Amino acid sequence: MIEIINRQRRHKVQAKRWREFATGALKAIGAGNRDAAIVFVSDAAMRKLNRQFRGKDSATDVLSFPSQPESFEADTATNVGEIVISLDRAQSQAKENGLTLVNEVEQLILHGLLHLCGHDHETDDGEMNRLELKTRRKLGI
């Protein structure tokens, strides 16, 4: 199950659309039996999170927080974690790239889900990027 949480007021959130898209994206990357949460926030909230967790004093578009079982728990949980998306930043990037806000958010959700499933574009010699582009084509984004 995909949980949608809206923590901002500037942009309308179509929870059903994002839930369905994320469910399809998880299936497309081979993690169809997994759960995740997607949280929509403002740039101000994202800046705080980015500063707190990455030491960067600026807003970013998406952050991923993978779930990790406690040391005493079996690794049988289906929840892969939480994605936080700044809709302010997504709107700006959509304009810059000639995309709709919907297309930009789809890309951010996919990117975040790939991170939650263990991919890391900073260390994998382009593997995540190739998978992301292939999956975008498969999902029509």
Side-chain angles (χ1 to χ4, degrees):
M1 182 178 94
I2 302 297
E3 182 179 8
I4 304 295
I5 302 165
N6 185 20
R7 297 277 185 243
Q8 56 81 52
R9 296 183 186 158
R10 186 170 294 152
H11 305 275
K12 183 172 171 53
V13 170
Q14 301 171 4
K16 182 180 178 191
R17 173 187 212 127
W18 300 128
R19 190 175 300 109
E20 289 173 356
F21 175 79
T23 299
L26 280 171
K27 285 179 186 169
I29 61 176
N33 61 337
R34 308 304 294 263
D35 303 322
I38 301 171
V39 183
F40 294 104
V41 300
S42 65
D43 264 0
M46 184 61 94
R47 182 178 181 176
K48 285 181 186 178
L49 290 169
N50 205 23
R51 183 175 46 238
Q52 180 180 355
F53 291 100
R54 296 182 67 226
K56 297 186 179 196
D57 192 21
S58 60
T60 189
D61 52 3
V62 62
L63 290 173
S64 299
F65 296 95
S67 342
Q68 301 294 327
E70 294 295 331
S71 58
F72 57 85
E73 294 179 308
D75 190 8
T76 58
T78 61
N79 191 304
V80 292
E82 188 171 289
I83 300 165
V84 182
I85 295 173
S86 167
L87 286 178
D88 294 336
R89 180 72 40 210
Q91 180 69 58
S92 295
Q93 289 176 177
K95 278 185 183 176
E96 290 169 15
N97 298 318
L99 299 171
T100 66
L101 179 59
V102 167
N103 286 138
E104 183 69 22
V105 172
E106 287 173 340
Q107 290 180 28
L108 295 175
I109 289 172
L110 175 59
H111 187 85
L113 289 173
L114 286 168
H115 275 301
L116 292 182
C117 290
H119 299 279
D120 186 356
H121 54 82
E122 293 182 7
T123 61
D124 70 2
D125 270 346
E127 183 180 322
M128 179 179 163
N129 188 49
R130 286 187 295 278
L131 178 58
E132 185 171 348
L133 292 173
K134 178 182 173 184
T135 309
R136 281 185 194 178
R137 286 189 298 274
K138 186 187 284 188
L139 295 170
I141 56 173

mmCIF file of all heavy atoms in Angstrom, residues 14-35:
data_model
loop_
_atom_site.group_PDB
_atom_site.id
_atom_site.type_symbol
_atom_site.label_atom_id
_atom_site.label_comp_id
_atom_site.label_asym_id
_atom_site.label_seq_id
_atom_site.Cartn_x
_atom_site.Cartn_y
_atom_site.Cartn_z
ATOM 1 N N GLN A 14 -3.361 15.185 -5.539
ATOM 2 C CA GLN A 14 -4.298 14.167 -6.025
ATOM 3 C C GLN A 14 -3.846 12.817 -5.469
ATOM 4 O O GLN A 14 -3.158 12.039 -6.139
ATOM 5 C CB GLN A 14 -4.311 14.160 -7.550
ATOM 6 C CG GLN A 14 -4.715 15.488 -8.137
ATOM 7 C CD GLN A 14 -4.500 15.527 -9.640
ATOM 8 O OE1 GLN A 14 -4.125 14.547 -10.260
ATOM 9 N NE2 GLN A 14 -4.744 16.686 -10.220
ATOM 10 N N ALA A 15 -4.249 12.544 -4.238
ATOM 11 C CA ALA A 15 -3.760 11.367 -3.522
ATOM 12 C C ALA A 15 -3.992 10.074 -4.304
ATOM 13 O O ALA A 15 -3.094 9.231 -4.404
ATOM 14 C CB ALA A 15 -4.403 11.286 -2.140
ATOM 15 N N LYS A 16 -5.172 9.913 -4.877
ATOM 16 C CA LYS A 16 -5.476 8.682 -5.603
ATOM 17 C C LYS A 16 -4.527 8.506 -6.789
ATOM 18 O O LYS A 16 -4.002 7.421 -7.021
ATOM 19 C CB LYS A 16 -6.923 8.683 -6.080
ATOM 20 C CG LYS A 16 -7.323 7.416 -6.798
ATOM 21 C CD LYS A 16 -8.771 7.447 -7.250
ATOM 22 C CE LYS A 16 -9.096 6.162 -8.007
ATOM 23 N NZ LYS A 16 -10.371 6.226 -8.680
ATOM 24 N N ARG A 17 -4.296 9.572 -7.528
ATOM 25 C CA ARG A 17 -3.405 9.516 -8.695
ATOM 26 C C ARG A 17 -2.002 9.086 -8.284
ATOM 27 O O ARG A 17 -1.379 8.230 -8.910
ATOM 28 C CB ARG A 17 -3.352 10.874 -9.385
ATOM 29 C CG ARG A 17 -2.331 10.910 -10.477
ATOM 30 C CD ARG A 17 -2.149 12.292 -11.071
ATOM 31 N NE ARG A 17 -1.820 12.104 -12.455
ATOM 32 C CZ ARG A 17 -2.430 12.660 -13.472
ATOM 33 N NH1 ARG A 17 -3.407 13.496 -13.273
ATOM 34 N NH2 ARG A 17 -2.057 12.416 -14.696
ATOM 35 N N TRP A 18 -1.463 9.701 -7.215
ATOM 36 C CA TRP A 18 -0.092 9.408 -6.795
ATOM 37 C C TRP A 18 0.007 8.007 -6.196
ATOM 38 O O TRP A 18 1.020 7.327 -6.371
ATOM 39 C CB TRP A 18 0.431 10.468 -5.842
ATOM 40 C CG TRP A 18 0.428 11.819 -6.485
ATOM 41 C CD1 TRP A 18 -0.109 12.963 -5.994
ATOM 42 C CD2 TRP A 18 0.943 12.159 -7.780
ATOM 43 N NE1 TRP A 18 0.060 13.984 -6.907
ATOM 44 C CE2 TRP A 18 0.692 13.520 -8.002
ATOM 45 C CE3 TRP A 18 1.597 11.436 -8.777
ATOM 46 C CZ2 TRP A 18 1.078 14.175 -9.172
ATOM 47 C CZ3 TRP A 18 1.972 12.078 -9.945
ATOM 48 C CH2 TRP A 18 1.713 13.436 -10.126
ATOM 49 N N ARG A 19 -1.031 7.572 -5.506
ATOM 50 C CA ARG A 19 -1.049 6.215 -4.953
ATOM 51 C C ARG A 19 -1.001 5.186 -6.089
ATOM 52 O O ARG A 19 -0.215 4.246 -6.062
ATOM 53 C CB ARG A 19 -2.304 6.015 -4.095
ATOM 54 C CG ARG A 19 -2.314 4.749 -3.278
ATOM 55 C CD ARG A 19 -3.539 4.659 -2.357
ATOM 56 N NE ARG A 19 -3.598 5.767 -1.410
ATOM 57 C CZ ARG A 19 -4.492 6.781 -1.468
ATOM 58 N NH1 ARG A 19 -5.415 6.805 -2.396
ATOM 59 N NH2 ARG A 19 -4.471 7.737 -0.573
ATOM 60 N N GLU A 20 -1.831 5.400 -7.106
ATOM 61 C CA GLU A 20 -1.871 4.480 -8.244
ATOM 62 C C GLU A 20 -0.556 4.508 -9.031
ATOM 63 O O GLU A 20 -0.049 3.462 -9.434
ATOM 64 C CB GLU A 20 -3.051 4.816 -9.159
ATOM 65 C CG GLU A 20 -4.385 4.469 -8.547
ATOM 66 C CD GLU A 20 -5.582 4.956 -9.359
ATOM 67 O OE1 GLU A 20 -5.388 5.652 -10.387
ATOM 68 O OE2 GLU A 20 -6.718 4.663 -8.940
ATOM 69 N N PHE A 21 -0.017 5.703 -9.237
ATOM 70 C CA PHE A 21 1.240 5.792 -9.970
ATOM 71 C C PHE A 21 2.354 5.072 -9.210
ATOM 72 O O PHE A 21 3.122 4.292 -9.801
ATOM 73 C CB PHE A 21 1.654 7.253 -10.229
ATOM 74 C CG PHE A 21 3.002 7.331 -10.876
ATOM 75 C CD1 PHE A 21 3.139 7.104 -12.238
ATOM 76 C CD2 PHE A 21 4.143 7.552 -10.119
ATOM 77 C CE1 PHE A 21 4.389 7.118 -12.841
ATOM 78 C CE2 PHE A 21 5.399 7.561 -10.712
ATOM 79 C CZ PHE A 21 5.519 7.347 -12.077
ATOM 80 N N ALA A 22 2.493 5.330 -7.927
ATOM 81 C CA ALA A 22 3.561 4.720 -7.131
ATOM 82 C C ALA A 22 3.407 3.203 -7.064
ATOM 83 O O ALA A 22 4.400 2.473 -7.119
ATOM 84 C CB ALA A 22 3.587 5.320 -5.732
ATOM 85 N N THR A 23 2.187 2.726 -6.993
ATOM 86 C CA THR A 23 1.949 1.278 -7.002
ATOM 87 C C THR A 23 2.443 0.680 -8.309
ATOM 88 O O THR A 23 3.136 -0.344 -8.318
ATOM 89 C CB THR A 23 0.445 0.988 -6.789
ATOM 90 O OG1 THR A 23 0.047 1.508 -5.512
ATOM 91 C CG2 THR A 23 0.161 -0.500 -6.845
ATOM 92 N N GLY A 24 2.127 1.315 -9.430
ATOM 93 C CA GLY A 24 2.593 0.856 -10.730
ATOM 94 C C GLY A 24 4.104 0.956 -10.873
ATOM 95 O O GLY A 24 4.739 0.082 -11.464
ATOM 96 N N ALA A 25 4.681 2.009 -10.322
ATOM 97 C CA ALA A 25 6.132 2.184 -10.401
ATOM 98 C C ALA A 25 6.846 1.096 -9.609
ATOM 99 O O ALA A 25 7.858 0.544 -10.067
ATOM 100 C CB ALA A 25 6.524 3.570 -9.899
ATOM 101 N N LEU A 26 6.335 0.766 -8.438
ATOM 102 C CA LEU A 26 6.937 -0.316 -7.651
ATOM 103 C C LEU A 26 6.879 -1.638 -8.420
ATOM 104 O O LEU A 26 7.853 -2.393 -8.445
ATOM 105 C CB LEU A 26 6.245 -0.461 -6.297
ATOM 106 C CG LEU A 26 6.671 0.522 -5.215
ATOM 107 C CD1 LEU A 26 5.763 0.428 -3.999
ATOM 108 C CD2 LEU A 26 8.127 0.299 -4.810
ATOM 109 N N LYS A 27 5.756 -1.900 -9.066
ATOM 110 C CA LYS A 27 5.644 -3.122 -9.875
ATOM 111 C C LYS A 27 6.657 -3.101 -11.011
ATOM 112 O O LYS A 27 7.302 -4.103 -11.303
ATOM 113 C CB LYS A 27 4.228 -3.263 -10.435
ATOM 114 C CG LYS A 27 3.218 -3.688 -9.409
ATOM 115 C CD LYS A 27 1.828 -3.790 -10.014
ATOM 116 C CE LYS A 27 0.812 -4.074 -8.909
ATOM 117 N NZ LYS A 27 -0.557 -3.923 -9.387
ATOM 118 N N ALA A 28 6.809 -1.943 -11.664
ATOM 119 C CA ALA A 28 7.713 -1.818 -12.808
ATOM 120 C C ALA A 28 9.170 -2.044 -12.427
ATOM 121 O O ALA A 28 9.962 -2.492 -13.254
ATOM 122 C CB ALA A 28 7.542 -0.453 -13.473
ATOM 123 N N ILE A 29 9.535 -1.755 -11.181
ATOM 124 C CA ILE A 29 10.929 -1.955 -10.754
ATOM 125 C C ILE A 29 11.112 -3.268 -9.986
ATOM 126 O O ILE A 29 12.158 -3.509 -9.402
ATOM 127 C CB ILE A 29 11.472 -0.748 -9.951
ATOM 128 C CG1 ILE A 29 10.671 -0.499 -8.684
ATOM 129 C CG2 ILE A 29 11.547 0.481 -10.812
ATOM 130 C CD1 ILE A 29 11.224 0.633 -7.810
ATOM 131 N N GLY A 30 10.066 -4.095 -9.994
ATOM 132 C CA GLY A 30 10.182 -5.415 -9.385
ATOM 133 C C GLY A 30 9.977 -5.448 -7.888
ATOM 134 O O GLY A 30 10.424 -6.370 -7.213
ATOM 135 N N ALA A 31 9.296 -4.450 -7.358
ATOM 136 C CA ALA A 31 9.041 -4.395 -5.917
ATOM 137 C C ALA A 31 7.547 -4.234 -5.652
ATOM 138 O O ALA A 31 7.138 -3.526 -4.742
ATOM 139 C CB ALA A 31 9.830 -3.244 -5.292
ATOM 140 N N GLY A 32 6.739 -4.895 -6.458
ATOM 141 C CA GLY A 32 5.296 -4.723 -6.403
ATOM 142 C C GLY A 32 4.633 -5.127 -5.116
ATOM 143 O O GLY A 32 3.531 -4.699 -4.823
ATOM 144 N N ASN A 33 5.294 -5.919 -4.306
ATOM 145 C CA ASN A 33 4.706 -6.347 -3.040
ATOM 146 C C ASN A 33 5.139 -5.470 -1.865
ATOM 147 O O ASN A 33 4.930 -5.820 -0.712
ATOM 148 C CB ASN A 33 5.088 -7.801 -2.753
ATOM 149 C CG ASN A 33 6.598 -7.970 -2.639
ATOM 150 O OD1 ASN A 33 7.360 -7.159 -3.161
ATOM 151 N ND2 ASN A 33 7.030 -9.022 -1.979
ATOM 152 N N ARG A 34 5.735 -4.338 -2.154
ATOM 153 C CA ARG A 34 6.262 -3.464 -1.099
ATOM 154 C C ARG A 34 5.352 -2.262 -0.869
ATOM 155 O O ARG A 34 4.532 -1.902 -1.709
ATOM 156 C CB ARG A 34 7.663 -2.971 -1.473
ATOM 157 C CG ARG A 34 8.652 -4.061 -1.848
ATOM 158 C CD ARG A 34 8.862 -5.145 -0.793
ATOM 159 N NE ARG A 34 9.481 -4.716 0.417
ATOM 160 C CZ ARG A 34 10.767 -4.825 0.699
ATOM 161 N NH1 ARG A 34 11.598 -5.353 -0.181
ATOM 162 N NH2 ARG A 34 11.249 -4.407 1.849
ATOM 163 N N ASP A 35 5.504 -1.637 0.277
ATOM 164 C CA ASP A 35 4.737 -0.456 0.681
ATOM 165 C C ASP A 35 5.689 0.723 0.834
ATOM 166 O O ASP A 35 6.883 0.535 1.080
ATOM 167 C CB ASP A 35 4.043 -0.692 2.024
ATOM 168 C CG ASP A 35 3.132 -1.900 2.022
ATOM 169 O OD1 ASP A 35 2.467 -2.127 0.998
ATOM 170 O OD2 ASP A 35 3.091 -2.606 3.047
#
